[in-house]
Amino acid sequence: MYEDIPDGLLTALTYGLSLAEHPDWQHGSPELCLSVNSTNVIWAHAVGFLAEQLRGTCPFSYGSTINFGERIVPESEMTAFCVFAPMVLERDDYLGIDVGVPGHEGHDVINIQGMYPIHEVERQFINEHGLEAFWKSDWEPTDVLRRPAI
């Protein structure tokens, strides 16, 4: 977890999710990245909790939505996450990261997936209409106190 990186955001990265296996992980295994405009570390713990609980069962692929089942933090009404490219990293820094030992390159590849807190109504909208339709709506991905965009 990194406070104020980038400026004003709390950023968290998981480690360990990629050690599991999932049939959808053909071109690398995911780790998760969350960046929110908050100082509440519960956001970071929530993403770590999901990585641990859903390891091997959730693909964490772009467009996936994850129902947290309750408010993620008390001050926010958000109860879910959607998965897409991380907004605080450049493409070369989040796709195809080879962590294999010398001589075994290409065997252990990680792709960092962005986790975006969303409202339940937005989760339902994404599941019905797709992530692209939601992504084009008027919303601020780092604002955890925003009203629903849908």
Side-chain angles (χ1 to χ4, degrees), residues 34-38 40 42-43 46 50 66-82 115-123 126 134 138-150:
L34 169 82
S35 294
V36 292
N37 187 2
S38 176
N40 191 335
I42 294 174
W43 288 107
L50 289 175
I66 300 156
N67 184 357
F68 198 72
E70 61 185 271
R71 285 182 178 206
I72 300 161
V73 299
E75 63 270 16
S76 174
E77 295 181 10
M78 296 180 176
T79 59
F81 290 92
C82 69
M115 295 287 284
Y116 296 90
I118 56 173
H119 293 274
E120 175 59 20
V121 66
E122 295 169 335
R123 186 184 72 80
I126 292 167
F134 172 72
D138 186 25
W139 69 298
E140 171 51 52
T142 64
D143 184 358
V144 295
L145 300 177
R146 66 177 174 77
R147 301 184 59 75
I150 304 300

Side-chain angles (χ1 to χ4, degrees), residues 14-26 28-32 47-61 64 66:
T14 62
Y15 171 78
L17 174 61
S18 61
L19 300 175
E21 294 183 11
H22 190 281
D24 291 354
W25 300 346
Q26 301 297 313
S29 303
E31 290 296 345
L32 308 178
V47 170
F49 173 80
L50 289 175
E52 175 64 26
Q53 293 299 306
L54 301 176
R55 179 184 313 205
T57 59
C58 178
F60 293 100
S61 56
S64 294
I66 300 156

Side-chain angles (χ1 to χ4, degrees), residues 18 20 22 24-31 59 96-97 106-113:
S18 61
H22 190 281
D24 291 354
W25 300 346
Q26 301 297 313
H27 303 288
S29 303
E31 290 296 345
I97 304 166
H107 294 285
D108 294 312
V109 176
I110 293 174
N111 297 307
I112 300 174
Q113 311 290 66

Side-chain angles (χ1 to χ4, degrees), residues 65 120-131 133:
T65 61
E120 175 59 20
V121 66
E122 295 169 335
R123 186 184 72 80
Q124 292 173 8
F125 180 88
I126 292 167
N127 289 343
E128 291 175 22
H129 304 283
L131 181 61

